[in-house]
Amino acid sequence: IEEASEVSAGDPEPVERMIENEERRALELAMARLTDRHRAAIALFHIEELSGEEAAKAMNVSAKAFESLLARARSTLKEHVQNIQNGRKCA
């Protein structure tokens, strides 16, 4: 709310920053709700920028198993983000 009071009419930049901050916070909350394995898969591939094969080795699974794990992690993350943005609790 304090952020909103600082927004001046006709200046879209502060509004865009507020939206980006809300989206970032939803993503952080959603990541925290993932299982350790799902969080690790996403972190290794998307944050550490390892290849699928490298991430699979780091997690001690086959490349095929990592692909499946990453797909499930992404799906769960997307669901959590949507639930947070809609004000619902994640299971």
Side-chain angles (χ1 to χ4, degrees):
I1 297 177
E2 289 178 19
E3 288 180 47
S5 66
E6 296 175 12
V7 175
S8 63
D11 186 4
E13 199 169 304
V15 174
E16 290 171 4
R17 280 197 305 265
M18 275 181 26
I19 292 169
E20 288 173 3
N21 288 341
E22 288 174 10
E23 290 173 347
R24 186 178 307 110
R25 182 68 180 140
L27 183 59
E28 289 170 355
L29 288 170
M31 282 288 288
R33 293 176 178 168
L34 292 176
T35 65
D36 289 343
R37 288 179 56 78
H38 283 177
R39 193 169 32 258
I42 288 176
L44 289 171
F45 190 78
H46 290 288
I47 298 169
E48 299 296 325
E49 298 182 346
L50 297 182
S51 69
E53 196 169 301
E54 292 169 327
K57 285 182 182 179
M59 293 190 71
N60 200 29
V61 297
S62 70
K64 185 76 173 168
F66 181 78
E67 286 177 24
S68 296
L69 178 64
L70 184 59
R72 286 191 310 274
R74 287 174 174 156
S75 177
T76 302
L77 181 63
K78 180 179 178 181
E79 183 180 321
H80 285 337
V81 167
Q82 288 171 342
N83 287 340
I84 289 165
Q85 289 175 333
N86 293 327
R88 294 189 301 256
K89 291 189 176 186
C90 297

